[in-house]
Amino acid sequence: MHVPDVSVVVIVYNDAERLPAAVQSVLDQTLHGVEVVIVDDCSKDASYAVAQEFEAAHPGRVRAFRLPENSGGCGAPRNHGIRQATGTYVMFLDSDDVLERNACRNMLAAAERTGSDLVSGMCVRVHLDDRWRKTTEWYPWIYSRTRTLESITEYPDLLVYDTLSTNKCYRRAFLLEQGLEFPVGIHYEDLLFSAQAYVSARRITLIPNRVYFWNVVEKASAKSISNRRHEIENFVHRMEIHRRVDELLAAKGHTALKTAKDTKFLKHDLVLHLRDLPLLGDAYRREFARLANGYLAGIDPAAYENVNHLQAICAYLLGKEDWDNLLPAADAMANKGRLSSPLAERDGRVYWCAQHIDSPVEAEATEGRRILDVTDQGFHSTPLSALRLGNRLVSYADDGRGTVTLSGAVVNPLGRIRPDAELKASLEFRARRQIGVRSFSFPVATVRHAGDSIEWTATADIGSTVRPLGIIDAVWDVRLKLTAGADWITTRVAVGGVDLEKATRLRVRPRLTRLVSDRFEPEMTRKGNLSYVLTAEGPAAVRTRTLIDSAMQGKAAGVLKRSLRFALKARRSIGSGEQKVKVYHEVFSKLPIRKGTVVFESHMGKQYSDSPKAIYEEMVRQGVPFEPIWSYAGARPTGFPPEATLVKRWSWPYLRALAQAEYWIDNQGFPLALAKRPGTTYIQTWHGSALKRMGFHEPRTKAQGKEAQDRFQTAIDRFDHFLIRSEHDTRTLARAFRLRDEVLLRTGYPRNDALVEAHRAEAHSGERVRGPLAAELGIDPEKKVLLYAPTFRTSPDGSVEGFEFPFDVEEFADRLGDRFTLLVRTHYLNSVSLPPSVAGRVIDVSRYHDVTPLLALADGLITDYSSVMFDYAVLDRPMLFFAYDYERYATDIRGTYFDLKEKAPGPVVATADELLQALAAFEEADAKYAEARQRFLTEFGEYDRGDAARQIVAKFFTRSGK
């Protein structure tokens, strides 16, 4: 008898409707040597009958088995399947999921090629109740490439994150030899089985192929075992499985794996349950704390260093059973970015709460301050309007008809909403689907300061004011819009501890029909926020709704549904990037060029800054007749000139503006997919001379295929003119972008005109004029001003790393703060948060998009490899290079055009101590490096003469230039 290559064990319980799709996905495999072993866990529906039908239709390929009684989990039927399987390899499939068509072939090939006991491929979650059937890959970085492991210790992430049993192929002899079985009578059996398989396997292979489609229904009426987290028994099982895995790792001596697993427990397993805590009762919380704290006592302390601040804070406060501070933290974790605690400040540091940081026991206070420290999150310095402040409902009442009275409290972190700030507020009811009327607002009758919070009360006559369309705008969210002095804040209203069970359904008058929905019912969303749902009340309404639901199953309804799906698809398509590019080329580009129209863009719309700004302002100063259009990115444009037309990047107005513009001016690159018309002139100002290799000089670009390189070259070929500052740019940037010499404009950078003028004025008068920016920042006129402007760093995968100070700013402030004010400006791809303890001595100026005024203000520059070094050279002021990771930076995959240590016009230091020592000798370095600065400027800024913007305007925008 022929032995199958792979046996796929399909388990089923009361799932007759979906079982056929699962089994068919196995029968349709491109690998023919596959058998299907169906194990029914004593279903009460027709599941076993369906399995028998498959067995009869496919003799020899499908076998069906039924357990004598229901086991209550996945373990027993899978174990039975292992015993009945005859294939060389075994896979597992749940009845509500499907296999990718080539899954068995790809996994078998990898197993046979490498001799692995276990092969694992990528699982994809398919969100069935998402209207677009969204898919998400399960931990895709694990499966970025094919790799074979001799031991799980080579790649702990696999054990820590991918604990599924279903996206794997096991050598059956390996399972039998090791006696591997799923635990029975307990949930989360995959965690233990996978751990046992990982630590026992002699070889493991990972393949980058999709193999398993995990169908997910978030809104299912019958929750899966893993989603029934409101049941305490669910958490009991999770804890027991984790204890068994810990015992397994201890027995095998895998202490390093235990630390990684503990980190994952804090980041994932515990978080899943903590998010639900604000929505559950006291009895559940007490039992949860008892179970969790018993386990947390054995967690490796090092695991806390590998989780984010809220995860560590929640675990810590849970250990203290401090519900008053834990529940806001859990709420903040469920609602990403929400700040739900008033915070506390001690000794220049900011903490999540005041409790536990002032303990008389020194060790306890030290631990509390270490874990509860949130200074780096920047809550104390982020503009109030950019914070998502927690807003907890305190009371809820209605009149039984259509009027509701709500009271709540908005958190006031560190008292940042001052007691003298004038308060105004409105309550907004907004349809989740933005169709027809967008929202209805009600004035808040009472809003007042109350210590750590802002309390408010509002009465809303929903019945006579809110007019939903009905059916299609069934869900409405509630927001509070608060104005506090010059600040405005919008918050969602969280239900908190208010019981909505006794709330009355409010009468409403939908515009479409009252037969289907005529009531607003308050409910708590999955994240704990207040919403209203349109429902029906009364026999007539219920009967009408039943008739409509029934009609929606008929033939006419089928036509209607297909038409609706087509319309929705067309609507999605018209807003897609692909469709926009098509319309740009086939429609907008056929419209006439609008003479005098100039589209400006800086750093892909993120800023009003740099050379495009300098050219624009020179055109305005000279009174050039033109129509300015500025591109912006993000939700709200800030800082852009009011007289210009603003268009959001990639919006329809943006595309039309580019298609009809006479000039494009930007410093980075308009979208690569958009061709420039022959009648449009593209002036590329660029954004800095190059230290790192660029364009076609980069190994990554060279490694791309010809098609990708051709697309890149086509986008670069749109440049009609490219501004350069020196012949260094000709040798580097121009060659890197394969630019013809006639494209190059040897004008210098318009953004540096102001710096050249500042240097000339200073040389002429002999004194430094700081200007209004120094006063705006509150800088002591007796202190020198240093600007720290580092560039960004990238990870091996090319992603931008978060910014962390490479030196202690508090130490700088303590040692040198009486002589210097340090301005910190991160790259626009990064952000920074300074502790309150350095206020006035160290100032974050990252929000100032235009770096030129900051360079003009600074008496000295501290940088690493940022191109601001080339701009600052124009001022002939001291520079200091803090190159703490120079070897990594200079020798990484991109490389540099020259050795910074050889050409730097200032000290190059590698440690924080060397940095502070060099700053202490600031004046000495000024004189010592004077000649080096002149050589540096001559080589890298020879064309910066202070008239770049005037040259551009004269050449392109004045009659003499025409």
Side-chain angles (χ1 to χ4, degrees), residues 746-817:
R746 291 169 169 81
T747 60
Y749 281 171
R751 73 183 185 191
N752 288 341
D753 290 348
L755 300 181
V756 175
E757 181 58 34
H759 176 61
R760 287 173 179 165
E762 184 179 334
H764 178 73
S765 66
E767 62 178 274
R768 178 81 44 84
V769 179
R770 287 184 167 178
L773 181 57
E776 180 184 335
L777 294 173
I779 294 175
D780 185 342
E782 299 300 318
K783 293 183 181 179
K784 295 284 187 182
V785 178
L786 300 176
L787 175 65
Y788 177 47
T791 191
F792 65 95
R793 306 295 195 275
T794 56
S795 301
D797 63 0
S799 61
V800 176
E801 295 180 349
F803 174 77
E804 293 184 7
F805 270 106
F807 62 93
D808 189 332
V809 289
E810 290 181 292
E811 184 180 0
F812 168 89
D814 292 340
R815 289 175 56 175
L816 300 171

Side-chain angles (χ1 to χ4, degrees), residues 68-123:
E69 60 182 8
N70 179 252
S71 67
C74 301
R78 285 178 182 160
N79 291 339
H80 190 78
I82 294 173
R83 291 191 290 270
Q84 297 298 332
T86 60
T88 306
Y89 296 89
V90 176
M91 294 175 62
F92 301 105
L93 174 63
D94 292 345
S95 60
D96 53 347
D97 302 326
V98 294
L99 292 182
E100 194 276 334
R101 193 163 180 265
N102 299 294
C104 293
R105 177 184 296 278
N106 289 332
M107 300 183 96
L108 175 68
E112 296 291 85
R113 184 178 67 252
T114 62
S116 295
D117 290 327
L118 190 161
V119 176
S120 188
M122 188 182 296
C123 172

Side-chain angles (χ1 to χ4, degrees), residues 111 154 242 273 296 458 469 502 577 649 695 697 761 778 782 836 891:
E154 295 178 21
H242 273 280
H273 292 267
L296 288 171
L469 289 174
K502 300 177 182 178
R649 203 170 197 264
H697 291 167
E782 299 300 318
T891 61

Side-chain angles (χ1 to χ4, degrees), residues 190-400:
D190 271 21
L191 273 73
L192 181 57
F193 182 83
S194 296
Q196 292 171 329
Y198 283 141
V199 300
S200 302
R202 291 176 290 272
R203 184 172 293 162
I204 302 167
T205 294
L206 311 180
I207 60 175
N209 309 83
R210 293 182 168 193
V211 299
Y212 194 91
F213 292 107
W214 176 4
N215 292 325
V216 180
V217 182
E218 296 284 354
K219 301 172 184 176
S221 56
K223 294 291 185 183
S224 67
I225 291 169
S226 60
N227 283 331
R228 297 201 294 266
R229 293 187 294 272
H230 59 285
E231 300 173 2
I232 195 66
E233 192 69 16
N234 184 292
F235 191 60
V236 171
H237 285 209
R238 189 185 288 271
M239 291 295 89
E240 177 58 26
I241 286 292
H242 273 280
R243 288 190 181 90
R244 294 188 192 183
V245 174
D246 290 345
E247 292 171 359
L248 169 70
L249 297 180
K252 297 287 186 178
H254 292 318
T255 54
L257 291 179
K258 172 67 164 63
T259 303
K261 180 193 153 296
D262 285 349
T263 298
K264 195 249 187 173
F265 176 81
L266 294 175
K267 295 175 69 170
H268 175 72
D269 300 80
L270 187 61
V271 165
L272 284 176
H273 292 267
L274 284 173
R275 285 174 173 167
D276 294 330
L277 277 187
L279 316 179
L280 300 169
D282 291 339
Y284 179 96
R285 293 172 191 166
R286 285 193 297 270
E287 182 62 11
F288 176 81
R290 185 186 68 80
L291 294 167
N293 289 333
Y295 185 78
L296 288 171
I299 289 282
D300 185 346
Y304 286 91
E305 304 299 325
N306 301 322
V307 301
N308 71 35
H309 71 288
L310 272 177
Q311 292 161 353
I313 286 170
C314 283
Y316 173 80
L317 294 174
L318 178 62
K320 299 291 186 182
E321 296 192 39
D322 180 356
W323 301 109
D324 289 341
N325 291 302
L326 171 59
L327 294 181
D331 173 69
M333 197 156 49
N335 295 273
K336 188 176 181 180
R338 179 180 287 178
L339 174 58
S340 49
S341 170
L343 307 177
E345 183 180 339
R346 296 285 190 281
D347 303 322
R349 305 295 294 179
V350 178
Y351 300 93
W352 181 257
C353 57
Q355 290 73 18
H356 318 296
I357 60 177
D358 298 321
S359 171
V361 180
E362 184 176 349
E364 292 181 1
T366 300
E367 181 187 32
R369 293 194 174 208
R370 178 177 62 84
I371 295 177
L372 297 173
D373 192 325
V374 293
T375 308
D376 292 343
Q377 304 308 309
F379 296 132
H380 59 287
S381 57
T382 301
L384 276 171
S385 59
L387 291 175
R388 295 180 56 196
L389 298 182
N391 183 6
R392 181 175 53 87
L393 202 60
V394 175
S395 67
Y396 182 100
D398 60 66
D399 63 357

Side-chain angles (χ1 to χ4, degrees), residues 477-541:
D477 296 317
V478 183
R479 289 174 172 83
L480 182 80
K481 292 192 170 182
L482 172 67
T483 301
D487 294 306
W488 54 270
I489 302 151
T490 300
T491 70
R492 285 292 301 272
V493 178
V495 173
V498 172
D499 184 6
L500 297 178
E501 293 295 325
K502 300 177 182 178
T504 305
R505 293 179 175 184
L506 306 173
R507 296 172 185 264
V508 289
R509 295 180 297 156
R511 295 174 183 268
L512 291 181
T513 174
R514 297 177 64 181
L515 294 176
V516 177
S517 54
D518 60 354
R519 294 290 188 275
F520 244 178
E521 182 174 6
E523 73 166 15
M524 182 168 57
T525 68
R526 195 165 46 126
K527 293 187 175 182
N529 298 316
L530 176 65
S531 289
Y532 284 86
V533 179
L534 278 170
T535 61
E537 190 169 283

Side-chain angles (χ1 to χ4, degrees), residues 18 96-98 125-135 213-219:
R18 292 179 293 187
D96 53 347
D97 302 326
V98 294
R125 286 166 60 95
V126 182
H127 301 266
L128 297 182
D129 50 358
D130 178 84
R131 71 177 70 176
W132 318 130
R133 288 220 167 187
K134 180 182 70 174
T135 61
F213 292 107
W214 176 4
N215 292 325
V216 180
V217 182
E218 296 284 354
K219 301 172 184 176

